[in-house]
Every structure is written in structure tokens, then in C-alpha cells.
Amino acid sequence: MIAMRILRVLLLPLVFVLSIALGAQTRTVALTFDDLPLASAGSEGITPAERIAEARSVNHAILAALKRHHAPAIAFVNEGKVVADDATEEYRKILSPWIEKGNQLGNHTFSHPDLNKISSAEFEEDVLKGEASIQPLMAAAGSPLRYLRFPFNHTGENTEKQHAVADFLKQRGYEVATCTIDNSDWVFAQAYRAILRKNDTRAAQELRSAYLAYTEKEIEYYSKLHRQVLGHEIPHVMLLHASRLNADTMDEILKLFERMSYRFVTLTQAQSDPAYRTPITFATTAGPMWGYRWAKELNIAVDGKLEPEVPAWIEHYGH
Ligand SMILES: [Zn+2]
């Protein structure tokens, strides 16, 4: 028996090393998409009919890629966009496949307000207004509406406001959707739209390559941040937006995660990790990823300046 136990102890690290060598998916990530039906990045100035068609095409492409990679995801909706363009039924039809395919919808408020600039009561009203389409859609699928993502990840710039909103959300049955990796996709998406408008296919290709390279750097950066702050990696929550850029690159983004040994899990699975129960007590006007928030709570000094920058030509494109 003892020999067996010793053998097992000796074999375990070997199994671990082998599983990495064989490309086993040892890391996990939950995918989240914001600003549905369509992120506004760079789509200003198009007609309502064009916007509806674009929303349909973008959502369809993202969902198809998710399906090909067996990746569950949650989409956060701004009801204000659903009731815009005199096309509420059209937009609801665009949102409903998110539920049919085993994914889910979450609340991203009605008008995407900045909590730093309004009262908690005004914010709460916006949250309630944000439920109009997603609540019945989720109910029809037999699921409760569970998650709220704060616009800009602004969770309250002072403790009083932060607590007031947190209490309200809890009472209403919400859990806060965190996020631990962002790749500034909205910055790339804005430049991408400007490039597409000029029909510059070469620049579009260059941007997509730069976007994937930057995404890889950010995944590694935030994994390293967690190792520094928490002592190990935890399930990630990836923040993305419903944009043309992500529609055109979703297959590549998902392949990138797979190549980096990630397996796709739901937001609920990711946030069931104990790290997500670390209480957040400090208030901030900024909307940092949760790794930075945990660092602050656990009193661990981290240097945000080490985070890779978006390439300057993309940052300044069209400005
Ligand atoms: Zn948003």
C-alpha cells in the first residue's frame, strides 16, 4: 500500500507535465460580450437599417464561432439600443439565439450610464429599465436573470454609493459580472470600422493581426498578475464587445485561447472559484480588471504600467 502511495506521489507531477505537453486544456476562461445588440464603436453615422443588418450579422458570426468551439458565453444587453431604431422586435429576434444555444443574457443597464456621474437611485432605475427585453427572453428559456455588468466597470466611486447599489442588486437577485482580462477591443474596433469604410483590406488584415497579438499579450499579462496577487492562476473572465472586429476574428480569438491551453466555461463556473468571493471594500472612479482590485484588497503592490499598450497607430487611427 505504501509503495503504491509513493508511486502515486511520484507519478502525479509526471502526469501534470505530460498533460501540458500533450496540449491538455488546463486553464479555463468564461467569455462575456458587452453592449448588445451592437457596440457603438465606430458605427456612428450609419442608418438604422444598416445598424440592424450589422447587428444581425455580427451576432450571427460570433454565435457561430462560439458554437464551432463549444464555448458558452454571456451577452450583456443595453435595452436602450433594443428599443432604438423603431426596431424592437427585430433586435429581440437578434438576441434570442443567445439563449437557444445554451448561452445567456445579462443586464448592462438601459442607457449605459456612468455610475460616477449619477446617483445610486438613478442608476437603479436604469438597471430596472434594462430588464424589459432580457427578463422575458430569459424566462422563456426557463432561466432567471442573474448577472449585471456595470457600464465601464464603474462600481461606485465612494463607499456609500457602492454599498447602496450593491445592496439593491443583491435584493433584486443579481450577481455582479466581474472581468479579469480586457484587450481594449473597443479601441481596435473603432479603428477597424474606419479602415473598413475606406475599403483598405491590407490595413484591415494588419489590424486583425495586431489585435490577436495584443490579445495574447494581455492574456499572459493578466495570468501573471493573478499568479502574483493570488499565488496561482484562477478561471478568467474575458471582456469583449459585440463588434464587427470580434465577429471577424472570433474563430482566431478562440483558437488562441485553445492554443494557450484554455477550456471554455460559463461565467457561473468561473466565478465559483473562491478568489471571486474576495470582498471588495475600496471604492474607485476607475473600472479596473478584478486582478487589480484583489491586489488592492490584499495589499499587494502591482505595477499597472507593466501592462502592454495598444499599438500607437491603432490608438490614433482616424483621430
Ligand atoms: Zn459597455
Side-chain angles (χ1 to χ4, degrees):
M1 278 307 276
I2 288 171
M4 276 297 288
R5 207 171 294 160
I6 291 170
L7 191 63
R8 212 177 294 156
V9 168
L10 287 174
L11 279 176
L12 260 178
L14 183 68
V15 169
F16 183 69
V17 169
L18 268 179
S19 69
I20 289 172
L22 294 172
Q25 310 310 105
T26 51
R27 308 158 111 183
T28 55
V29 60
L31 302 164
T32 69
F33 294 86
D34 281 12
D35 297 5
L36 272 79
L38 182 68
S40 50
S43 67
E44 305 86 358
I46 64 175
T47 67
E50 285 168 335
R51 192 155 43 239
I52 296 162
E54 180 72 346
R56 192 181 295 120
S57 155
V58 161
N59 281 270
H60 182 81
I62 291 174
L63 280 164
L66 291 171
K67 197 177 178 191
R68 280 194 290 276
H69 293 260
H70 308 288
I74 180 166
F76 290 96
V77 175
N78 294 126
E79 178 68 13
K81 287 179 175 174
V82 179
V83 297
D85 299 331
D86 210 6
T88 307
E89 283 317 307
E90 281 302 304
Y91 281 128
R92 284 181 182 166
K93 266 186 221 151
I94 291 169
L95 296 177
S96 63
W98 278 95
I99 294 167
E100 288 160 20
K101 288 174 183 165
N103 300 310
Q104 56 171 322
L105 296 170
N107 194 342
H108 197 34
T109 74
F110 180 87
S111 66
H112 209 283
D114 182 346
L115 181 52
N116 293 346
K117 296 179 182 156
I118 59 173
S119 70
S120 56
E122 286 167 322
F123 184 80
E124 288 160 21
E125 201 179 304
D126 215 85
V127 169
L128 295 178
K129 268 177 85 181
E131 294 174 352
S133 294
I134 50 176
Q135 204 279 334
L137 279 169
M138 287 291 281
S143 307
L145 178 59
R146 183 166 176 189
Y147 290 101
L148 175 111
R149 160 127 331 122
F150 282 97
F152 313 102
N153 284 307
H154 288 174
T155 50
E157 82 282 17
N158 61 56
T159 315
E160 195 191 347
K161 198 193 263 186
Q162 193 183 38
H163 286 174
V165 173
D167 287 347
F168 162 81
L169 292 176
K170 204 169 168 192
Q171 237 174 47
R172 190 85 192 151
Y174 280 107
E175 245 177 77
V176 173
T178 64
C179 42
T180 63
I181 313 174
D182 86 88
N183 58 353
S184 298
D185 68 331
W186 60 92
V187 179
F188 285 87
Q190 182 113 13
Y192 190 56
R193 282 222 66 92
I195 287 170
L196 292 183
R197 265 198 293 269
K198 288 190 201 163
N199 285 318
D200 189 343
T201 50
R202 194 169 151 191
Q205 173 61 46
E206 276 171 23
L207 182 137
R208 289 195 298 268
S209 300
Y211 177 53
L212 288 166
Y214 183 72
T215 301
E216 180 166 2
K217 278 191 203 164
E218 286 288 78
I219 296 169
E220 272 313 337
Y221 172 80
Y222 282 110
S223 301
K224 199 175 160 198
L225 182 71
H226 288 178
R227 291 198 296 273
Q228 187 196 344
V229 174
L230 302 163
H232 56 95
E233 291 190 22
I234 59 159
H236 268 305
V237 178
M238 177 81 190
L239 170 65
L240 293 161
H241 292 77
S243 65
R244 167 53 54 195
L245 173 64
N246 283 327
D248 289 357
T249 55
M250 198 39 55
D251 255 317
E252 294 303 318
I253 296 273
L254 298 176
K255 274 188 212 160
L256 171 64
F257 272 112
E258 286 163 348
R259 208 169 61 237
M260 296 173 83
S261 302
Y262 280 93
R263 183 164 56 81
F264 304 112
V265 296
T266 63
L267 181 61
T268 305
Q269 286 170 314
Q271 293 198 168
S272 68
D273 188 280
Y276 289 90
R277 291 197 288 277
T278 311
I280 304 286
T281 57
F282 78 98
T284 169
T285 53
M289 294 296 105
W290 262 253
Y292 289 121
R293 297 175 197 240
W294 293 323
K296 184 122 182 164
E297 286 303 327
L298 301 170
N299 218 0
I300 292 169
V302 297
D303 186 0
K305 285 192 220 70
L306 296 175
E307 188 175 337
E309 300 277 347
V310 173
W313 74 272
I314 288 160
E315 186 88 56
H316 300 127
Y317 196 93
H319 289 289

